[in-house]
Amino acid sequence: MQTETITTTKTALQNLKVEQHPTESISTDVIALAEQELRDVITGEVRFDNKARSLYATDASPYDIKPYGVVIPKTIEDISKIVAVANKYNIPILPRGAGTSLAGQTVGEA
């Protein structure tokens, strides 16, 4: 059963279309619009408060870079919707695991 779930998740993620956009500063108005839309369309957690942003600003490296927000999907459908909203508002996505990187791969303005 677990193998089927992993295979389904992997296939769903491979089929997502991610558009590449040039990185530039994103206005707080755009971030607020994306936050509200995410709250409306996903079942997972949407955390754009300062505390959550601070908690996810670091890993095991010396870097401290606050993300625009933190979104924790509950379903595969959530992931698809998160990518769609990020593309719509030109907001980069930075996947995060346990935050144990020593080189800063899990932190960034995303």
Side-chain angles (χ1 to χ4, degrees), residues 11-58:
T11 302
L13 292 175
Q14 288 171 339
N15 291 331
L16 290 175
K17 181 182 177 202
V18 179
E19 299 174 20
Q20 297 293 323
H21 299 285
T23 304
E24 53 189 58
S25 184
I26 300 171
S27 76
T28 55
D29 292 339
V30 170
I31 297 299
L33 287 170
E35 176 186 5
Q36 187 55 55
E37 188 167 336
L38 286 166
R39 288 185 189 285
D40 292 342
V41 300
I42 72 164
T43 59
E45 295 180 45
V46 178
R47 304 158 99 186
F48 280 61
D49 59 282
N50 203 34
K51 182 177 181 180
R53 293 177 61 231
S54 294
L55 288 171
Y56 284 85
T58 61

Side-chain angles (χ1 to χ4, degrees), residues 56-59 61 63-65 94 96 104-109:
Y56 284 85
T58 61
D59 56 8
S61 74
Y63 302 105
D64 188 345
I65 307 168
L94 180 66
R96 183 179 170 107
Q105 293 97 325
T106 65
V107 297
E109 195 174 52

